[in-house]
Each structure stands twice: as structure tokens, then as C-alpha cells.
Amino acid sequence: MSNDVVLQFNRQRNTLTGILFYAVNGLLVIGFLYPLACVFISSLKIPGDLVMTPPTWWPSIFTIDNFSELLLSSNSMTRAIMLSGIISLLTVIGTVILSTLAGYGFSRFNFRGKNLFFVIILLTMMIPFQPILTPLFIIITKMGLQNNIIGLVLVYITFQLPFSVFMMRNTFDSIPKEIDEAAQLDGCSPLKILFRVMPTMISPGIVTVIVTTFIAAWNEFLVALVFMTDSENYTMPILLFTTSSGQYGTVNWGLLQASTTFTMLPCIIIFLFLQKHYVSGLTSGATKG
């Protein structure tokens, strides 16, 4: 009889624990989603609803005019969206290629100063990027890449490489070296092992690099503001800032909310589709063996 009581008590405790777990997580989800919902709903409001005092939660009339103005009427905004997408894509491609090759080299090859070089790479993660903007600006200007998307991509890759190399080296370290030895017995060279044997096993680490790099490049503001002095080459975050500043004190709040919604969408979609691999990449890259 006592065993039945204990079992019933354990069931009730597990039930209460489960309820508490889902309740707390539900509140956290609401807290995170509430600001996003406010922005999205505001982007569907007419101008009169956006300036009402006190503000209203639900629009009196739903409209997509703000998104139409964003994508069709404003050529500068459309250009900024395209530039941000191209810059983010090129940054991701360059960072993935370089960090994968570097991580593979640090993990699988022994050379003089290997650990020292890797420590130096990690130390660069501790340096704020603001102090090195001036020397980078001088270097990029002398290369003739100032106010050029290639120059901005090179700077973004420079900032993203330390963490990406660290992640990819740890990802390779988590793969048993016996796989390399078996592939070498079959006549595979190191590059063939990397491109033919490893891709499936290192895909979580690559996805982690893709997600972190894309979000950082898509949302970056200060570097783009410094390096892109021509208004025709403004990226999405810079144009959002100019839109929020307004002209002669006026702000198009509908266009601003629609732009903010459109800016968030790529990051949310990429994370939702790749979150499983992203978490797997973080955990596999955090442990060795």
C-alpha cells in the first residue's frame, strides 16, 4: 500500500513539475514574442491609427500599403534590401570556406606554432571592433574598396572568422581521427577527406557558422555606416536609421514598422529552419571526443 502511495505522489509531483515548466516557458515565449507582435501589427495599421493617443493595440483597418510602399514605391529601400542580402550572402560564403579550411588545418595537421596561432585567433575575439575601425578604414581605402560592397564583406569576414574558426576546429576535433585513417587507406588525400568524407559530419558546425554570420552581417550598422558613405550604397540598417530619424521632424511610422518587420523576417526564418542543426553544432563544438 505504501508503494502505491509513493507512486501516486511521484506522479503528482511530476505533473506539477511539468505544469510549472510549461507555464514558465510559456510566459518567457510571450515576453519574447510580444514586442515582435507589436511591430508586425503596427506595420498593418493606417497612418491615423499609428499616431492615436493613447495608442491602440488592434488596427481599425488592416492594410498592406506600408509593405507596398516599402517594396514598390521606395527604390532606395529596395536597393538597401538587395545590398544587405548580397553582402550577407557573400560574408557567409567567405566565412564558411575560410573557417572550414582553417578549422580542418588546426584540427588535423601538426605544425610549428599551431597552438600559439590558435590562441592569437581566440584573443582577437576579446578586442572590441570599434577601436580597429580606423586602421581598417585606412587599409580598405588604400585598396580602393572604400564605399564598395567587397570591402565591407572583407571587413565582416574579418570580424566573424575568430569565432567561426574556433567553432569549426572544435567540430573537427569531435570527429574521431580513425575516420581519416580509414579514408587514407582507401587512397584519399586530405582535401578529398575534407570534401567527400567530412561534409555530413561537420554540417552542424557549418550551420552554426552560417546562422551566426548571416545574422551579424544582416543586422550590422556601425561598420556599414563608416565604410558606405554614398547613400546609394546604404544597407538596410542604415536606411532604417534614416527612416526613423525622419525629415524635418516627420517620421513615416508605417514604413518604419514595415521595414523593421521585413528586417526581422530573414533572421527568424533562417533560425527556425536551421535551429536543430544550430543547437547540435553548438553542443558538438563545445565538447571534444
Side-chain angles (χ1 to χ4, degrees):
M1 186 68 180
S2 59
N3 290 335
D4 294 337
V5 173
V6 172
L7 288 174
Q8 185 176 3
F9 174 76
N10 289 334
R11 291 194 191 97
Q12 292 178 349
R13 184 180 62 181
N14 293 335
T15 301
L16 291 175
T17 302
I19 293 174
L20 181 62
F21 173 81
Y22 286 108
V24 172
N25 281 276
L27 291 175
L28 290 175
V29 169
I30 293 173
F32 281 112
L33 292 182
Y34 178 75
L36 303 182
C38 288
V39 172
F40 177 69
I41 292 176
S42 297
S43 67
L44 300 175
K45 291 181 178 180
I46 59 176
D49 290 341
L50 290 168
V51 296
M52 288 186 64
T53 304
T56 58
W57 164 257
W58 208 249
S60 59
I61 299 176
F62 284 94
T63 179
I64 60 171
D65 290 346
N66 297 320
F67 290 97
S68 300
E69 182 179 357
L70 171 66
L71 299 176
L72 301 178
S73 301
S74 179
N75 294 327
S76 58
M77 190 69 73
T78 305
R79 180 178 174 82
I81 294 171
M82 293 178 61
L83 279 176
S84 293
I86 293 172
I87 291 171
S88 301
L89 181 60
L90 293 177
T91 303
V92 167
I93 293 173
T95 304
V96 168
I97 293 174
L98 293 177
S99 63
T100 301
L101 293 174
Y104 184 61
F106 278 115
S107 175
R108 290 303 196 257
F109 297 97
N110 293 318
F111 52 90
R112 182 177 297 180
K114 168 184 171 180
N115 294 329
L116 176 62
F117 288 140
F118 189 70
V119 170
I120 292 174
I121 291 175
L122 294 183
L123 288 176
T124 60
M125 297 172 60
M126 305 178 187
I127 303 175
F129 72 90
Q130 290 86 352
I132 63 176
L133 274 182
T134 300
L136 279 176
F137 181 82
I138 295 173
I139 293 173
I140 293 297
T141 302
K142 289 184 177 181
M143 293 173 61
L145 296 176
Q146 190 263 339
N147 203 37
N148 188 296
I149 63 172
I150 300 300
L152 189 59
V153 167
L154 291 177
V155 175
Y156 285 169
I157 292 175
T158 301
F159 290 145
Q160 295 303 314
L161 272 181
F163 170 78
S164 302
V165 171
F166 168 74
M167 176 60 61
M168 292 310 300
R169 195 207 71 155
N170 286 355
T171 300
F172 280 110
D173 282 348
S174 66
I175 300 173
K177 292 186 177 180
E178 288 78 8
I179 296 177
D180 298 55
E181 296 171 357
Q184 288 174 357
L185 291 176
D186 291 335
C188 289
S189 64
L191 286 179
K192 285 185 178 180
I193 294 174
L194 174 61
F195 292 113
R196 294 185 180 181
V197 179
M198 294 290 186
T200 303
M201 291 176 281
I202 65 173
S203 57
I206 291 177
V207 168
T208 303
V209 173
I210 290 174
V211 173
T212 54
T213 302
F214 180 86
I215 292 177
W218 179 262
N219 294 319
E220 205 286 320
F221 170 75
L222 181 58
V223 177
L225 182 63
V226 172
F227 284 82
M228 295 297 195
T229 56
D230 190 350
S231 59
E232 292 185 358
N233 292 329
Y234 280 173
T235 57
M236 188 70 173
I238 299 177
L239 215 58
L240 275 177
F241 174 75
T242 58
T243 303
S244 64
S245 301
Q247 187 176 15
Y248 305 114
T250 61
V251 179
N252 188 338
W253 293 107
L255 180 62
L256 178 62
Q257 300 292 356
S259 303
T260 305
T261 302
F262 197 88
T263 303
M264 293 187 298
L265 279 179
C267 300
I268 294 173
I269 292 173
I270 288 176
F271 184 79
L272 288 178
F273 277 99
L274 300 179
Q275 61 176 327
K276 180 180 178 180
H277 300 285
Y278 176 74
V279 174
S280 176
L282 287 177
T283 54
S284 66
T287 58
K288 180 180 178 180

